[in-house]
């Protein structure tokens, strides 16, 4: 069964600190992995998209990694800001269909 | 260049009524996807449509739910005889080309929050 699991479920850190969010998946055949940011009450916004051959991809203070062998990904946020408070969702695309498999997300709270 | 538009943003219905959710894709996009998100859960795929065609409706309940994307006008997600369990946020996304297996970006609307009393 295609699944995406994320940890931790929620995380609270102080402004300026770094953090790393984890994603494990069992989606086959794998096509690509995406990280989305979803602010409360709004639609998801794409941060990164990585294919099988990509190990790391950055978007400003966000850096995503992918290990296709262990089927794990991480999202590292550097020098967190209050505006980083949101849910971060790992999404995996299978090559065989139109569906994206969504994780439940990690709720990140940045405190001043 | 407006993004994906959804309306209404909030919709309240009583059990047994009908809910109609509208989605206008980004300009130039002909692929529309509907998702449902329950509180504290991830998004669940419902249906993928192109203009006048349903491509994949494997995530949509077989009864009471229907979707369309006419040649002119917005895509409509219709829920008949709503029940309390239909209360959720419904998101629409659009893309320029087909999503299948590719890296093509899906752009999301702000969602419609349906509350069934």
């Amino acid at each position: 069964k295609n699944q995406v699991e994320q940890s931790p479920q929620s995380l609270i850190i102080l402004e300026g600190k770094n953090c790393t969010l984890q994603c494990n998946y069992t989606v086959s055949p794998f096509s690509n992995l995406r990280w989305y940011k979803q602010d409360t009450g709004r639609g998801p916004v794409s941060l990164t998209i990585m294919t099988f051959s990509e190990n790391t991809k950055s978007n400003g203070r966000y850096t995503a990694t992918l290990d296709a062998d262990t089927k794990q990904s991480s999202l590292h946020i550097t020098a967190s800001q209050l505006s980083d408070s949101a849910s971060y969702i790992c999404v995996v695309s299978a090559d065989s269909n139109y569906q994206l498999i969504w994780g439940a997300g990690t709720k990140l709270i940045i405190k001043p | 260049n407006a993004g994906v538009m959804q309306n209404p943003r909030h919709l309240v219905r009583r059990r047994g009524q009908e809910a109609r959710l509208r989605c206008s894709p980004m300009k130039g996009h002909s692929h529309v996807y509907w998702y449902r998100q329950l509180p504290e859960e991830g998004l669940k795929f419902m249906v993928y449509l192109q203009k006048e065609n349903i491509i994949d409706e494997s995530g949509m309940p077989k009864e009471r739910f229907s979707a369309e994307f006419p040649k002119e006008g917005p895509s409509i997600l219709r829920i008949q005889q709503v029940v309390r369990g239909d209360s959720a946020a419904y998101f629409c996304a659009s893309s320029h080309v087909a999503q299948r297996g590719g890296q093509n970006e899906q752009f999301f609307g702000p969602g419609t929050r349906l509350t069934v009393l």
Side-chain angles (χ1 to χ4, degrees), chain A residues 12-47:
Chain A
I12 301 174
I13 64 172
L14 292 175
E15 185 180 10
K17 298 294 186 184
N18 304 335
C19 66
T20 301
L21 314 180
Q22 302 291 342
C23 172
N24 298 325
Y25 63 92
T26 56
V27 177
S28 181
F30 174 85
S31 176
N32 60 71
L33 183 145
R34 308 151 186 247
W35 283 93
Y36 281 87
K37 178 186 179 187
Q38 185 176 20
D39 292 307
T40 300
R42 306 186 74 167
V45 174
S46 178
L47 295 175

Side-chain angles (χ1 to χ4, degrees), chain A residues 14-81:
Chain A
L14 292 175
E15 185 180 10
K17 298 294 186 184
N18 304 335
C19 66
T20 301
L21 314 180
Q22 302 291 342
C23 172
N24 298 325
Y25 63 92
T26 56
V27 177
S28 181
F30 174 85
S31 176
N32 60 71
L33 183 145
R34 308 151 186 247
W35 283 93
Y36 281 87
K37 178 186 179 187
Q38 185 176 20
D39 292 307
T40 300
R42 306 186 74 167
V45 174
S46 178
L47 295 175
T48 63
I49 300 176
M50 288 186 292
T51 60
F52 182 88
S53 59
E54 294 177 291
N55 299 121
T56 184
K57 196 165 235 182
S58 291
N59 177 1
R61 295 180 295 103
Y62 301 106
T63 299
T65 66
L66 174 64
D67 185 335
D69 291 329
T70 61
K71 298 188 177 181
Q72 294 179 326
S73 175
S74 67
L75 180 69
H76 186 74
I77 304 175
T78 305
S80 60
Q81 300 175 359

Side-chain angles (χ1 to χ4, degrees), chain B residues 2-107:
Chain B
V4 178
M5 310 281 284
Q6 288 188 251
N7 68 81
R9 293 293 309 276
H10 299 273
L11 182 61
V12 179
R13 284 287 179 266
R14 296 190 181 279
R15 280 179 296 170
Q17 292 184 318
E18 178 180 286
R20 291 171 69 90
L21 288 61
R22 295 175 186 77
C23 169
S24 297
M26 284 182 69
K27 190 175 182 180
H29 287 189
S30 58
H31 303 259
V32 166
Y33 316 80
W34 284 94
Y35 295 85
R36 177 164 63 177
Q37 185 176 32
L38 296 171
E40 308 301 322
E41 292 189 14
L43 274 72
K44 295 287 194 300
F45 168 82
M46 298 182 73
V47 61
Y48 162 42
L49 310 102
Q50 292 180 30
K51 283 285 187 182
E52 299 184 278
N53 288 305
I54 296 175
I55 307 302
D56 181 353
E57 57 181 348
S58 58
M60 200 144 74
K62 294 287 186 286
E63 297 178 353
R64 303 188 297 108
F65 285 73
S66 63
E68 62 177 16
F69 189 15
K71 188 176 180 181
E72 301 291 336
S75 175
I76 306 286
L77 179 67
R78 183 181 176 204
I79 310 173
Q80 294 179 292
Q81 298 176 308
V82 295
V83 301
R84 288 219 173 107
D86 297 333
S87 295
Y90 292 83
F91 289 95
C92 166
S94 73
S95 66
H96 178 56
V97 292
Q99 172 59 53
R100 181 170 183 160
Q103 299 187 51
N104 302 307
E105 181 98 42
Q106 284 190 14
F107 294 87

